[in-house]
Amino acid sequence: MYLYKTCNFLIISAVLACSLQNLYSQSSTPKTSSKGLKDYYKNYFPIGVAVSPRALQGPEAGLILQQFNSITPENAMKMGPIHPEENRYFWDDADAIVNFAQTNKLRIRGHNLCWHEQTPKWIFTDAQGNNVTKEVLLKRLKDHITTVVSRYKGKIYAWDVVNEAIDDDSTKFLRNSLWYQICGEDFIVKAFEYAHQADPNALLFYNDYNTERPEKTERVYQLLKKLKEAKVPVHGVGLQAHWSIYEPTEKELRNAIEKFSSLGLQIHFTEVDMSVYRWEKHRRERKEGESDAFTPELEQKQLEQYKKVFSIFREYKKAITSVTFWNISDKSTWLDNYPVRGRKNYPLLFDQNLQPKKVYWEVIKF
């Protein structure tokens, strides 16, 4: 009798444990349909996401594989992180992302080879701390691009070669960065040439933000037109798409797509997110009483904006050959700390628990 009761107790305990384990598994696994964004958009364009190495395991990794078929290293391949000292490269994070992509048959967009930010100080200066000559800087740029692109040749199909070279001031053309101060416009031309020499099969992109604002659309267009006419190996334009529930308008977005595609360039939307706040450029602290609640009103505005832009994306599927979200979910987004430190933002299709938001179902409903 004692043995019988003991057996029953053990059986009941095992059943309870199994039930609890199933409950835990269900709560920690994103609840979506078996199909992902990549499946709904398979006849349109690849759907990508920017990732860090820590996202390559656990529930986030599962969500990446379910929803996306392309990835971009968020920071791991920028010049500062990957080449912190002249004679030292740090490959671990970039290699981890490339290996994850190859193992799971994902496309990889390389980001980025030349930028005015996240660039190590050493590249611009000599041993005395003075700015180097144009010849020295271009040699360092060539060494960097050749080394990085060659390492991933045949694995990375597209690179953001030059990032954000157009000035924020609409009365100016190129940003007055150290690249420009030392090299003039030649650093842009040479960056594309060096990348093409290192991997002739890779697609090479110029990447920038606010590209739908008419005055910036025109200046980016003029730069690309100039590069094309000079036979520089540029194959596409990356429109970052760090947008908000307030912009861009339908007219602005259509104009940008049509203008850039008229140059015969591929269009990639490279860093898509939809802030629930108005655009700000300069960093600041959060103001007293400044709300960061994701209200039903903001949720509805975001839904309508995402629905509009993806409808336009689908319409221009012949010109658009990739769409990439910047971060996986609202759990962690760069906009939580930029431009307002500590102000929570909700710019993506998945919430802080990795669950699809209402907007997700609108983006796939077509």
Side-chain angles (χ1 to χ4, degrees), residues 186-237:
D186 285 353
F187 83 92
I188 299 174
V189 173
K190 292 300 182 182
F192 280 98
E193 290 178 352
Y194 300 153
H196 185 62
Q197 289 166 11
D199 187 352
N201 294 319
L203 297 175
L204 306 181
F205 285 73
Y206 172 76
N207 193 52
D208 215 326
Y209 61 91
N210 287 350
T211 46
E212 302 71 37
R213 295 182 180 181
E215 51 82 18
K216 194 161 183 180
T217 302
E218 182 60 30
R219 287 182 293 143
V220 173
Y221 173 84
Q222 290 301 327
L223 172 62
L224 291 167
K225 185 171 182 287
K226 197 173 191 178
L227 294 176
K228 289 280 289 183
E229 289 173 348
K231 308 297 183 185
V232 175
V234 54
H235 307 116
V237 56

CSV table of all heavy atoms in Angstrom, one decimal, residues 186-237:
chain,number,residue,atom,x,y,z
A,186,ASP,N,37.6,63.1,-51.8
A,186,ASP,CA,38.3,61.8,-52.2
A,186,ASP,C,38.1,60.7,-51.3
A,186,ASP,O,38.1,59.5,-51.8
A,186,ASP,CB,39.8,62.1,-52.4
A,186,ASP,CG,40.1,62.9,-53.7
A,186,ASP,OD1,39.2,63.2,-54.5
A,186,ASP,OD2,41.3,63.3,-53.9
A,187,PHE,N,37.9,60.9,-50.0
A,187,PHE,CA,37.7,59.8,-49.1
A,187,PHE,C,36.5,58.9,-49.5
A,187,PHE,O,36.5,57.7,-49.3
A,187,PHE,CB,37.7,60.2,-47.6
A,187,PHE,CG,36.3,60.7,-47.2
A,187,PHE,CD1,35.4,59.8,-46.6
A,187,PHE,CD2,35.9,62.0,-47.3
A,187,PHE,CE1,34.2,60.2,-46.1
A,187,PHE,CE2,34.7,62.5,-46.8
A,187,PHE,CZ,33.8,61.6,-46.2
A,188,ILE,N,35.5,59.5,-50.0
A,188,ILE,CA,34.3,58.8,-50.4
A,188,ILE,C,34.6,57.9,-51.6
A,188,ILE,O,34.3,56.7,-51.6
A,188,ILE,CB,33.1,59.8,-50.7
A,188,ILE,CG1,32.8,60.6,-49.5
A,188,ILE,CG2,31.9,59.0,-51.2
A,188,ILE,CD1,31.7,61.7,-49.7
A,189,VAL,N,35.2,58.5,-52.6
A,189,VAL,CA,35.5,57.8,-53.8
A,189,VAL,C,36.4,56.6,-53.5
A,189,VAL,O,36.2,55.5,-53.9
A,189,VAL,CB,36.2,58.7,-54.9
A,189,VAL,CG1,36.7,57.9,-56.0
A,189,VAL,CG2,35.2,59.8,-55.3
A,190,LYS,N,37.5,56.9,-52.7
A,190,LYS,CA,38.5,55.9,-52.4
A,190,LYS,C,37.9,54.8,-51.6
A,190,LYS,O,38.2,53.6,-51.8
A,190,LYS,CB,39.7,56.5,-51.7
A,190,LYS,CG,40.5,57.4,-52.6
A,190,LYS,CD,41.1,56.7,-53.8
A,190,LYS,CE,41.9,57.5,-54.7
A,190,LYS,NZ,42.4,56.8,-55.9
A,191,ALA,N,37.0,55.1,-50.6
A,191,ALA,CA,36.4,54.0,-49.8
A,191,ALA,C,35.7,53.0,-50.7
A,191,ALA,O,35.8,51.8,-50.5
A,191,ALA,CB,35.5,54.7,-48.8
A,192,PHE,N,34.9,53.5,-51.7
A,192,PHE,CA,34.2,52.6,-52.6
A,192,PHE,C,35.2,51.8,-53.4
A,192,PHE,O,35.0,50.6,-53.6
A,192,PHE,CB,33.2,53.3,-53.4
A,192,PHE,CG,31.9,53.6,-52.7
A,192,PHE,CD1,31.7,54.9,-52.2
A,192,PHE,CD2,30.9,52.7,-52.6
A,192,PHE,CE1,30.5,55.2,-51.5
A,192,PHE,CE2,29.7,53.0,-51.9
A,192,PHE,CZ,29.5,54.2,-51.4
A,193,GLU,N,36.2,52.4,-53.9
A,193,GLU,CA,37.2,51.7,-54.7
A,193,GLU,C,37.9,50.7,-53.9
A,193,GLU,O,38.1,49.5,-54.4
A,193,GLU,CB,38.2,52.7,-55.3
A,193,GLU,CG,37.6,53.6,-56.4
A,193,GLU,CD,38.6,54.7,-56.9
A,193,GLU,OE1,39.7,54.8,-56.3
A,193,GLU,OE2,38.2,55.4,-57.9
A,194,TYR,N,38.3,51.0,-52.7
A,194,TYR,CA,39.0,50.0,-51.9
A,194,TYR,C,38.1,48.8,-51.6
A,194,TYR,O,38.6,47.6,-51.6
A,194,TYR,CB,39.5,50.6,-50.5
A,194,TYR,CG,40.4,51.8,-50.7
A,194,TYR,CD1,40.5,52.8,-49.7
A,194,TYR,CD2,41.3,51.9,-51.8
A,194,TYR,CE1,41.3,53.9,-49.8
A,194,TYR,CE2,42.1,53.0,-51.9
A,194,TYR,CZ,42.2,54.0,-50.9
A,194,TYR,OH,43.0,55.1,-51.0
A,195,ALA,N,36.9,49.0,-51.3
A,195,ALA,CA,35.9,47.9,-50.9
A,195,ALA,C,35.7,47.1,-52.2
A,195,ALA,O,35.7,45.8,-52.1
A,195,ALA,CB,34.6,48.5,-50.4
A,196,HIS,N,35.6,47.7,-53.3
A,196,HIS,CA,35.4,46.9,-54.5
A,196,HIS,C,36.6,46.1,-54.9
A,196,HIS,O,36.5,44.9,-55.3
A,196,HIS,CB,35.1,47.9,-55.7
A,196,HIS,CG,34.7,47.2,-57.0
A,196,HIS,ND1,33.6,46.3,-57.1
A,196,HIS,CD2,35.3,47.2,-58.2
A,196,HIS,CE1,33.5,45.9,-58.3
A,196,HIS,NE2,34.6,46.3,-59.0
A,197,GLN,N,37.8,46.6,-54.7
A,197,GLN,CA,39.0,45.8,-54.9
A,197,GLN,C,39.1,44.6,-54.0
A,197,GLN,O,39.5,43.5,-54.4
A,197,GLN,CB,40.2,46.7,-54.7
A,197,GLN,CG,40.4,47.8,-55.8
A,197,GLN,CD,41.4,48.9,-55.4
A,197,GLN,OE1,42.1,48.8,-54.4
A,197,GLN,NE2,41.5,49.9,-56.2
A,198,ALA,N,38.6,44.8,-52.7
A,198,ALA,CA,38.7,43.7,-51.7
A,198,ALA,C,37.7,42.6,-52.0
A,198,ALA,O,38.0,41.4,-51.7
A,198,ALA,CB,38.6,44.3,-50.3
A,199,ASP,N,36.5,43.0,-52.5
A,199,ASP,CA,35.5,42.0,-52.8
A,199,ASP,C,34.7,42.5,-54.0
A,199,ASP,O,33.7,43.2,-53.8
A,199,ASP,CB,34.6,41.7,-51.6
A,199,ASP,CG,33.6,40.5,-51.9
A,199,ASP,OD1,33.6,40.1,-53.1
A,199,ASP,OD2,32.9,40.1,-51.0
A,200,PRO,N,35.1,42.1,-55.2
A,200,PRO,CA,34.4,42.6,-56.4
A,200,PRO,C,33.0,42.2,-56.6
A,200,PRO,O,32.2,42.8,-57.3
A,200,PRO,CB,35.3,42.0,-57.6
A,200,PRO,CG,36.6,41.7,-57.0
A,200,PRO,CD,36.3,41.3,-55.6
A,201,ASN,N,32.6,41.2,-55.8
A,201,ASN,CA,31.2,40.7,-55.9
A,201,ASN,C,30.2,41.3,-54.9
A,201,ASN,O,29.0,41.1,-55.0
A,201,ASN,CB,31.2,39.2,-55.8
A,201,ASN,CG,31.9,38.5,-56.9
A,201,ASN,OD1,31.8,38.9,-58.1
A,201,ASN,ND2,32.7,37.4,-56.6
A,202,ALA,N,30.8,42.0,-53.9
A,202,ALA,CA,29.9,42.6,-52.9
A,202,ALA,C,29.2,43.8,-53.4
A,202,ALA,O,29.7,44.6,-54.2
A,202,ALA,CB,30.7,43.0,-51.7
A,203,LEU,N,27.9,44.0,-53.0
A,203,LEU,CA,27.2,45.2,-53.3
A,203,LEU,C,27.6,46.3,-52.4
A,203,LEU,O,27.6,46.1,-51.1
A,203,LEU,CB,25.7,44.9,-53.2
A,203,LEU,CG,25.1,43.9,-54.2
A,203,LEU,CD1,23.6,43.6,-53.8
A,203,LEU,CD2,25.3,44.3,-55.6
A,204,LEU,N,27.8,47.5,-52.9
A,204,LEU,CA,28.3,48.6,-52.1
A,204,LEU,C,27.3,49.8,-52.0
A,204,LEU,O,26.8,50.2,-53.0
A,204,LEU,CB,29.7,49.1,-52.7
A,204,LEU,CG,30.7,48.0,-52.9
A,204,LEU,CD1,32.0,48.6,-53.5
A,204,LEU,CD2,31.0,47.2,-51.6
A,205,PHE,N,27.1,50.2,-50.8
A,205,PHE,CA,26.0,51.2,-50.5
A,205,PHE,C,26.6,52.5,-49.8
A,205,PHE,O,27.4,52.4,-49.0
A,205,PHE,CB,24.9,50.6,-49.6
A,205,PHE,CG,24.0,49.6,-50.3
A,205,PHE,CD1,24.5,48.4,-50.7
A,205,PHE,CD2,22.7,50.0,-50.7
A,205,PHE,CE1,23.7,47.5,-51.4
A,205,PHE,CE2,21.9,49.1,-51.4
A,205,PHE,CZ,22.4,47.9,-51.7
A,206,TYR,N,26.0,53.6,-50.2
A,206,TYR,CA,26.1,54.8,-49.4
A,206,TYR,C,24.9,54.8,-48.5
A,206,TYR,O,23.7,54.6,-49.0
A,206,TYR,CB,26.1,56.1,-50.3
A,206,TYR,CG,26.0,57.3,-49.5
A,206,TYR,CD1,27.2,57.8,-48.8
A,206,TYR,CD2,24.8,58.0,-49.3
A,206,TYR,CE1,27.1,58.9,-47.9
A,206,TYR,CE2,24.8,59.1,-48.5
A,206,TYR,CZ,25.9,59.5,-47.8
A,206,TYR,OH,25.8,60.6,-46.9
A,207,ASN,N,25.1,55.1,-47.2
A,207,ASN,CA,24.0,55.0,-46.2
A,207,ASN,C,23.8,56.3,-45.5
A,207,ASN,O,24.8,56.9,-45.0
A,207,ASN,CB,24.4,53.9,-45.2
A,207,ASN,CG,23.3,53.5,-44.3
A,207,ASN,OD1,22.2,53.1,-44.8
A,207,ASN,ND2,23.5,53.4,-43.0
A,208,ASP,N,22.6,56.8,-45.3
A,208,ASP,CA,22.3,58.1,-44.6
A,208,ASP,C,20.9,58.1,-44.0
A,208,ASP,O,20.1,57.3,-44.3
A,208,ASP,CB,22.6,59.2,-45.5
A,208,ASP,CG,23.2,60.5,-44.8
A,208,ASP,OD1,22.9,60.7,-43.6
A,208,ASP,OD2,24.0,61.2,-45.5
A,209,TYR,N,20.7,59.1,-43.1
A,209,TYR,CA,19.4,59.3,-42.5
A,209,TYR,C,18.7,60.6,-43.0
A,209,TYR,O,19.3,61.4,-43.6
A,209,TYR,CB,19.6,59.3,-41.0
A,209,TYR,CG,20.4,60.5,-40.4
A,209,TYR,CD1,19.9,61.7,-40.1
A,209,TYR,CD2,21.8,60.3,-40.3
A,209,TYR,CE1,20.7,62.7,-39.6
A,209,TYR,CE2,22.6,61.3,-39.8
A,209,TYR,CZ,22.0,62.6,-39.5
A,209,TYR,OH,22.8,63.6,-39.0
A,210,ASN,N,17.4,60.7,-42.6
A,210,ASN,CA,16.6,61.9,-43.1
A,210,ASN,C,16.6,62.0,-44.6
A,210,ASN,O,16.4,63.1,-45.1
A,210,ASN,CB,17.1,63.2,-42.4
A,210,ASN,CG,16.7,63.2,-40.9
A,210,ASN,OD1,16.0,62.4,-40.4
A,210,ASN,ND2,17.3,64.2,-40.2
A,211,THR,N,16.8,60.9,-45.3
A,211,THR,CA,16.9,61.0,-46.7
A,211,THR,C,15.6,61.3,-47.4
A,211,THR,O,15.6,61.5,-48.6
A,211,THR,CB,17.5,59.6,-47.2
A,211,THR,OG1,16.7,58.6,-46.6
A,211,THR,CG2,19.0,59.5,-46.9
A,212,GLU,N,14.5,61.3,-46.7
A,212,GLU,CA,13.2,61.6,-47.3
A,212,GLU,C,12.8,63.0,-47.1
A,212,GLU,O,11.9,63.5,-47.8
A,212,GLU,CB,12.1,60.7,-46.6
A,212,GLU,CG,12.3,59.2,-46.7
A,212,GLU,CD,13.5,58.8,-45.8
A,212,GLU,OE1,13.6,59.3,-44.7
A,212,GLU,OE2,14.2,57.9,-46.2
A,213,ARG,N,13.5,63.8,-46.3
A,213,ARG,CA,13.3,65.2,-46.2
A,213,ARG,C,13.8,65.8,-47.5
A,213,ARG,O,15.0,65.6,-47.9
A,213,ARG,CB,14.0,65.8,-45.0
A,213,ARG,CG,13.5,65.3,-43.7
A,213,ARG,CD,14.2,65.9,-42.5
A,213,ARG,NE,13.6,65.4,-41.2
A,213,ARG,CZ,14.0,65.7,-40.0
A,213,ARG,NH1,15.0,66.7,-39.9
A,213,ARG,NH2,13.5,65.2,-38.9
A,214,PRO,N,13.0,66.6,-48.2
A,214,PRO,CA,13.3,67.0,-49.6
A,214,PRO,C,14.6,67.6,-49.8
A,214,PRO,O,15.4,67.3,-50.7
A,214,PRO,CB,12.1,68.0,-49.9
A,214,PRO,CG,11.0,67.5,-49.1
A,214,PRO,CD,11.6,67.0,-47.8
A,215,GLU,N,15.1,68.5,-48.9
A,215,GLU,CA,16.4,69.2,-49.0
A,215,GLU,C,17.5,68.2,-48.9
A,215,GLU,O,18.5,68.3,-49.6
A,215,GLU,CB,16.5,70.3,-48.0
A,215,GLU,CG,16.2,70.0,-46.6
A,215,GLU,CD,17.4,69.3,-45.9
A,215,GLU,OE1,18.6,69.4,-46.4
A,215,GLU,OE2,17.2,68.7,-44.8
A,216,LYS,N,17.3,67.2,-48.1
A,216,LYS,CA,18.4,66.2,-48.0
A,216,LYS,C,18.3,65.1,-49.1
A,216,LYS,O,19.4,64.6,-49.6
A,216,LYS,CB,18.4,65.5,-46.6
A,216,LYS,CG,19.7,64.7,-46.3
A,216,LYS,CD,19.9,64.5,-44.9
A,216,LYS,CE,21.3,63.8,-44.6
A,216,LYS,NZ,21.5,63.5,-43.2
A,217,THR,N,17.1,64.8,-49.5
A,217,THR,CA,17.0,63.9,-50.7
A,217,THR,C,17.8,64.5,-51.8
A,217,THR,O,18.5,63.7,-52.5
A,217,THR,CB,15.5,63.8,-51.1
A,217,THR,OG1,14.7,63.4,-50.0
A,217,THR,CG2,15.3,62.9,-52.3
A,218,GLU,N,17.7,65.8,-52.1
A,218,GLU,CA,18.4,66.4,-53.2
A,218,GLU,C,19.9,66.3,-53.1
A,218,GLU,O,20.6,66.0,-54.0
A,218,GLU,CB,17.9,67.8,-53.3
A,218,GLU,CG,18.5,68.6,-54.5
A,218,GLU,CD,18.2,67.9,-55.9
A,218,GLU,OE1,17.1,67.3,-56.0
A,218,GLU,OE2,19.1,68.0,-56.8
A,219,ARG,N,20.4,66.6,-51.9
A,219,ARG,CA,21.9,66.6,-51.7
A,219,ARG,C,22.4,65.1,-51.8
A,219,ARG,O,23.5,64.9,-52.3
A,219,ARG,CB,22.2,67.2,-50.4
A,219,ARG,CG,22.0,68.8,-50.4
A,219,ARG,CD,22.5,69.4,-49.1
A,219,ARG,NE,21.6,69.1,-48.1
A,219,ARG,CZ,22.0,68.9,-46.8
A,219,ARG,NH1,23.2,69.0,-46.5
A,219,ARG,NH2,21.1,68.6,-45.9
A,220,VAL,N,21.7,64.2,-51.2
A,220,VAL,CA,22.2,62.8,-51.3
A,220,VAL,C,22.1,62.4,-52.8
A,220,VAL,O,23.0,61.7,-53.3
A,220,VAL,CB,21.3,61.8,-50.4
A,220,VAL,CG1,21.7,60.4,-50.7
A,220,VAL,CG2,21.5,62.2,-49.0
A,221,TYR,N,21.1,62.8,-53.5
A,221,TYR,CA,20.9,62.4,-54.9
A,221,TYR,C,22.1,63.0,-55.7
A,221,TYR,O,22.7,62.3,-56.5
A,221,TYR,CB,19.6,63.0,-55.4
A,221,TYR,CG,19.5,62.9,-56.9
A,221,TYR,CD1,19.0,61.7,-57.5
A,221,TYR,CD2,19.8,64.0,-57.8
A,221,TYR,CE1,18.8,61.6,-58.9
A,221,TYR,CE2,19.6,63.9,-59.1
A,221,TYR,CZ,19.2,62.7,-59.7
A,221,TYR,OH,19.0,62.6,-61.1
A,222,GLN,N,22.5,64.3,-55.4
A,222,GLN,CA,23.6,64.9,-56.1
A,222,GLN,C,24.9,64.2,-55.9
A,222,GLN,O,25.7,64.0,-56.8
A,222,GLN,CB,23.7,66.4,-55.7
A,222,GLN,CG,22.6,67.3,-56.2
A,222,GLN,CD,22.4,67.2,-57.8
A,222,GLN,OE1,23.4,67.1,-58.5
A,222,GLN,NE2,21.2,67.3,-58.2
A,223,LEU,N,25.1,63.8,-54.6
A,223,LEU,CA,26.3,63.0,-54.3
A,223,LEU,C,26.4,61.7,-55.1
A,223,LEU,O,27.4,61.4,-55.7
A,223,LEU,CB,26.4,62.7,-52.8
A,223,LEU,CG,27.6,61.7,-52.4
A,223,LEU,CD1,28.9,62.3,-52.7
A,223,LEU,CD2,27.4,61.4,-50.9
A,224,LEU,N,25.3,61.0,-55.1
A,224,LEU,CA,25.3,59.7,-55.8
A,224,LEU,C,25.4,59.8,-57.3
A,224,LEU,O,26.0,59.0,-58.0
A,224,LEU,CB,24.0,58.9,-55.4
A,224,LEU,CG,23.9,58.5,-54.0
A,224,LEU,CD1,22.5,58.0,-53.6
A,224,LEU,CD2,24.9,57.3,-53.7
A,225,LYS,N,24.7,60.9,-57.8
A,225,LYS,CA,24.8,61.1,-59.3
A,225,LYS,C,26.3,61.4,-59.7
A,225,LYS,O,26.8,60.9,-60.7
A,225,LYS,CB,23.9,62.3,-59.6
A,225,LYS,CG,23.8,62.7,-61.1
A,225,LYS,CD,22.7,63.7,-61.3
A,225,LYS,CE,22.5,64.0,-62.8
A,225,LYS,NZ,23.7,64.9,-63.3
A,226,LYS,N,26.9,62.2,-58.8
A,226,LYS,CA,28.3,62.5,-59.1
A,226,LYS,C,29.2,61.3,-59.1
A,226,LYS,O,30.1,61.1,-59.9
A,226,LYS,CB,28.8,63.5,-58.0
A,226,LYS,CG,30.1,64.2,-58.3
A,226,LYS,CD,30.3,65.3,-57.1
A,226,LYS,CE,31.4,66.2,-57.5
A,226,LYS,NZ,31.5,67.3,-56.4
A,227,LEU,N,29.0,60.4,-58.1
A,227,LEU,CA,29.7,59.1,-58.0
A,227,LEU,C,29.5,58.2,-59.2
A,227,LEU,O,30.4,57.6,-59.8
A,227,LEU,CB,29.4,58.4,-56.7
A,227,LEU,CG,29.8,59.1,-55.4
A,227,LEU,CD1,29.3,58.3,-54.2
A,227,LEU,CD2,31.3,59.3,-55.3
A,228,LYS,N,28.2,58.1,-59.6
A,228,LYS,CA,27.9,57.3,-60.7
A,228,LYS,C,28.5,57.8,-62.0
A,228,LYS,O,29.1,57.0,-62.8
A,228,LYS,CB,26.3,57.3,-60.9
A,228,LYS,CG,25.6,56.5,-59.9
A,228,LYS,CD,25.6,55.0,-60.1
A,228,LYS,CE,24.8,54.6,-61.3
A,228,LYS,NZ,24.8,53.1,-61.5
A,229,GLU,N,28.5,59.1,-62.2
A,229,GLU,CA,29.1,59.7,-63.4
A,229,GLU,C,30.6,59.5,-63.5
A,229,GLU,O,31.2,59.4,-64.5
A,229,GLU,CB,28.7,61.2,-63.5
A,229,GLU,CG,27.2,61.4,-63.8
A,229,GLU,CD,26.8,62.9,-63.7
A,229,GLU,OE1,27.6,63.7,-63.2
A,229,GLU,OE2,25.7,63.2,-64.2
A,230,ALA,N,31.2,59.4,-62.3
A,230,ALA,CA,32.6,59.2,-62.2
A,230,ALA,C,33.0,57.7,-62.2
A,230,ALA,O,34.2,57.4,-62.1
A,230,ALA,CB,33.2,59.9,-60.9
A,231,LYS,N,32.0,56.9,-62.5
A,231,LYS,CA,32.2,55.4,-62.6
A,231,LYS,C,32.7,54.8,-61.2
A,231,LYS,O,33.4,53.8,-61.3
A,231,LYS,CB,33.2,55.1,-63.7
A,231,LYS,CG,32.8,55.7,-65.0
A,231,LYS,CD,31.5,55.2,-65.6
A,231,LYS,CE,31.2,55.7,-67.0
A,231,LYS,NZ,29.9,55.4,-67.5
A,232,VAL,N,32.4,55.5,-60.1
A,232,VAL,CA,32.7,54.9,-58.8
A,232,VAL,C,31.8,53.7,-58.6
A,232,VAL,O,30.6,53.7,-58.9
A,232,VAL,CB,32.5,56.0,-57.7
A,232,VAL,CG1,32.7,55.3,-56.3
A,232,VAL,CG2,33.4,57.1,-58.0
A,233,PRO,N,32.4,52.6,-58.1
A,233,PRO,CA,31.6,51.3,-57.9
A,233,PRO,C,30.6,51.4,-56.7
A,233,PRO,O,30.8,50.8,-55.7
A,233,PRO,CB,32.6,50.3,-57.7
A,233,PRO,CG,33.8,51.0,-57.1
A,233,PRO,CD,33.8,52.4,-57.7
A,234,VAL,N,29.5,52.2,-56.9
A,234,VAL,CA,28.5,52.3,-55.9
A,234,VAL,C,27.2,51.6,-56.5
A,234,VAL,O,26.8,51.9,-57.6
A,234,VAL,CB,28.2,53.7,-55.5
A,234,VAL,CG1,27.9,54.6,-56.7
A,234,VAL,CG2,27.0,53.8,-54.5
A,235,HIS,N,26.6,50.7,-55.8
A,235,HIS,CA,25.6,49.9,-56.3
A,235,HIS,C,24.2,50.2,-55.8
A,235,HIS,O,23.2,49.8,-56.3
A,235,HIS,CB,25.8,48.4,-56.1
A,235,HIS,CG,27.2,48.0,-56.6
A,235,HIS,ND1,28.2,47.5,-55.8
A,235,HIS,CD2,27.7,48.0,-57.9
A,235,HIS,CE1,29.2,47.2,-56.5
A,235,HIS,NE2,29.0,47.5,-57.8
A,236,GLY,N,24.2,50.9,-54.6
A,236,GLY,CA,22.9,51.2,-54.0
A,236,GLY,C,23.0,52.3,-53.0
A,236,GLY,O,24.1,52.8,-52.6
A,237,VAL,N,21.8,52.7,-52.5
A,237,VAL,CA,21.7,53.7,-51.4
A,237,VAL,C,20.9,53.1,-50.3
A,237,VAL,O,19.9,52.5,-50.4
A,237,VAL,CB,21.0,55.0,-51.9
A,237,VAL,CG1,19.6,54.7,-52.5
A,237,VAL,CG2,20.9,56.0,-50.8
